[in-house]
Amino acid sequence: MYYDERENLVNYSVKDEENNYTEYNLTNKNEKKWDNDFKIDINNININNYRHIKRTLFSDREGFNKGNMIIEEYVPYKNYVYKVVVKGERDELLLKIQELTFKVIDLNLYLDIHPNDEEMYKVFKNTVQELKKYKDMYEKNFGPLCVTDTLYYDSYKWLKNPWPWMNEGGVNNV
Amino acid sequence: MFRYEKMLEYPINIKKKDLKMAKLLNSQLGGPDGELGASLRYLCQRFTMPDERGRALLSDIGSEELGHVEMISTMVRQLVKGASIEELKEAGLDAYYTSHKRGIYPMDANGVPFTTAYIASTGDPIVDLAEDMAAEEKARATYENLMDLTSDPDLLAPLSFLRQREVVHYERFKELLEYYKNNKIS
């Protein structure tokens, strides 16, 4: 006799008495033949735990180019992969800031759902530290990225061009 | 509170004018599965999320989507900039020019203005997250369709970046929904 908590409306003992050949009756779905013949409760399986036990990160640049920091979750479309290439000191520094900002954004979303992943938190913290360093460097040399980045200047620089959409003929990377 | 950072999430650097693509890209600005709708959807729904994870995730994805609105607007602007009246007429943008000149206006590829009827906010986190997952997949499909319609790498690169972001957002929403269901939070 078998007892299944999820199907306790079925009275197996009565059935066994009625039919001695249930073991060979393949159409009888309520019958279990072996101990490992159990039903899987699909709604209660956390598929993510099986699929992505390990999460490894792309390098900063590669993750930014692909739009996804986590290797296991990357899904390409028709093998389209692009590399951002820029010229000039200012654009290179800005690209570095964009890369690190992107890494912070992606890890931020991940940590919202997995706040107890200490290893990922360490990566997140180091990235924020590095980003701060580069932003400070940019602010010092090329102007503010936030309106409050004003401590290096004697006059109001926030409104200065170029604004991010002003990219005439692809001169500025912004 | 929101603060602006004077840079794009991913650089956009379009050298070739393409009015047809500008018209089509509008679908991801003010269309039914566009970035503006995505942003509003999450930023409205976050007020009724039942726990810290949900409040954080919807705030953060909603904010990122605002950055995507900026990216799509930038692409449309750079594609349209400097177009002559004849070129606009030829690309079917004469009606657009009548109301908006060469400006940015949230509408879909056929000129239907953006409406909040595109989004849902039911106050029920399980329903809202299921809607969010569907929305991310629809946006991903739209990006793939747009990528099929162009061969300009200056357009394909940001489109492929934005498409991949939909993949990531979908994954996060799914994890949150599974977490709520497994822990019977609602």
Side-chain angles (χ1 to χ4, degrees):
Chain A
M1 194 189 104
Y2 304 98
Y3 181 71
D4 186 338
E5 280 185 338
R6 283 162 297 191
E7 295 179 4
N8 52 10
L9 294 174
V10 180
N11 191 337
Y12 289 95
S13 58
V14 174
K15 234 176 188 165
D16 284 348
E17 283 166 14
E18 280 175 352
N19 185 358
N20 291 326
Y21 299 100
T22 45
E23 202 181 334
Y24 306 104
N25 184 357
L26 294 174
T27 56
N28 190 343
K29 282 172 189 164
N30 290 327
E31 204 56 52
K32 288 182 180 180
K33 281 185 283 182
W34 301 285
D35 280 343
N36 62 353
D37 187 14
F38 55 88
K39 275 189 182 158
I40 296 170
D41 188 354
I42 290 170
N43 290 327
N44 283 323
I45 293 178
N46 189 348
I47 295 162
N48 281 298
N49 286 350
Y50 293 133
R51 236 182 12 184
H52 307 306
I53 287 171
K54 196 161 169 274
R55 284 181 173 85
T56 22
L57 297 182
F58 284 118
S59 72
D60 298 359
R61 179 145 297 185
E62 205 184 350
F64 179 68
N65 283 329
K66 291 192 155 96
N68 194 343
M69 287 308 300
I70 297 168
I71 293 174
E72 288 82 357
E73 290 177 1
Y74 175 62
V75 186
Y77 179 59
K78 289 186 180 172
N79 294 324
Y80 282 130
V81 183
Y82 295 92
K83 280 182 190 147
V84 180
V85 183
V86 296
K87 278 179 198 156
E89 207 185 332
R90 178 178 169 278
D91 283 359
E92 270 168 29
L93 186 54
L94 188 60
L95 183 63
K96 187 77 197 158
I97 290 171
Q98 282 173 316
E99 280 169 14
L100 292 171
T101 306
F102 172 71
K103 193 174 177 184
V104 169
I105 288 175
D106 208 25
L107 295 186
N108 165 5
L109 300 187
Y110 172 82
L111 285 166
D112 283 346
I113 306 294
H114 309 271
N116 302 324
D117 189 334
E118 284 171 20
E119 211 170 294
M120 206 61 101
Y121 177 68
K122 266 183 213 154
V123 179
F124 176 75
K125 198 173 167 183
N126 290 340
T127 314
V128 172
Q129 244 161 11
E130 207 184 345
L131 175 62
K132 214 174 165 191
K133 195 181 77 192
Y134 281 107
K135 270 188 163 171
D136 199 54
M137 208 189 284
Y138 188 93
E139 186 195 332
K140 220 184 258 179
N141 296 307
F142 303 109
L145 287 171
C146 282
V147 69
T148 46
D149 296 347
T150 193
L151 300 176
Y152 291 109
Y153 309 115
D154 297 328
S155 62
Y156 188 65
K157 301 267 192 226
W158 169 247
L159 73 179
K160 294 272 184 223
N161 283 336
W163 282 81
W165 56 90
M166 297 172 80
N167 202 347
E168 291 168 35
V171 181
N172 298 309
N173 166 46
V174 209
Chain B
M1 198 189 78
F2 292 90
R3 281 173 65 204
Y4 184 63
E5 279 201 69
K6 211 170 161 183
M7 64 179 182
L8 297 174
E9 194 186 358
Y10 182 93
I12 290 172
N13 197 333
I14 295 164
K15 294 157 206 105
K16 225 174 75 193
K17 194 165 50 189
D18 187 344
L19 296 174
K20 282 251 159 77
M21 275 313 286
K23 186 171 189 271
L24 302 177
L25 276 178
N26 271 311
S27 71
Q28 279 307 78
L29 176 57
D33 314 315
E35 301 289 359
L36 184 60
S39 178
L40 283 179
R41 183 181 293 116
Y42 311 142
L43 291 179
C44 291
Q45 289 175 353
R46 67 184 174 142
F47 291 92
T48 43
M49 280 293 132
D51 79 338
E52 290 172 339
R53 291 170 203 235
R55 283 170 212 137
L57 187 74
L58 269 78
S59 300
D60 294 335
I61 297 187
S63 312
E64 191 187 346
E65 303 285 10
L66 277 177
H68 295 172
V69 173
E70 186 186 28
M71 278 178 70
I72 296 284
S73 309
T74 299
M75 287 163 88
V76 175
R77 173 66 185 152
Q78 289 184 7
L79 287 168
V80 170
K81 200 158 180 286
S84 71
I85 301 284
E86 279 70 35
E87 287 170 324
L88 287 167
K89 269 187 189 168
E90 205 176 305
L93 280 170
D94 41 355
Y96 187 89
Y97 182 85
T98 310
S99 300
H100 316 295
K101 254 188 162 176
R102 295 177 191 86
I104 293 294
Y105 179 72
M107 58 172 211
D108 77 358
N110 291 318
V112 181
F114 177 75
T115 162
T116 38
Y118 293 151
I119 72 169
S121 179
T122 62
D124 179 323
I126 302 295
V127 178
D128 282 354
L129 286 172
E131 142 112 358
D132 298 348
M133 285 162 64
E136 293 294 340
E137 287 292 66
K138 285 189 279 181
R140 179 183 59 76
T142 312
Y143 277 122
E144 286 170 9
N145 300 343
L146 284 168
M147 286 168 78
D148 291 341
L149 289 162
T150 180
S151 57
D152 182 357
D154 290 344
L155 271 175
L156 283 167
L159 285 177
S160 122
F161 175 88
L162 289 167
R163 176 195 164 274
Q164 191 64 222
R165 296 311 295 153
E166 310 295 343
V167 173
V168 174
H169 294 167
Y170 174 80
E171 198 70 33
R172 294 287 98 81
F173 283 133
K174 196 177 73 183
E175 282 175 342
L176 185 63
L177 182 60
E178 276 169 10
Y179 173 78
Y180 283 167
K181 280 191 169 170
N182 291 342
N183 294 285
K184 303 204 166 29
I185 302 171
S186 64

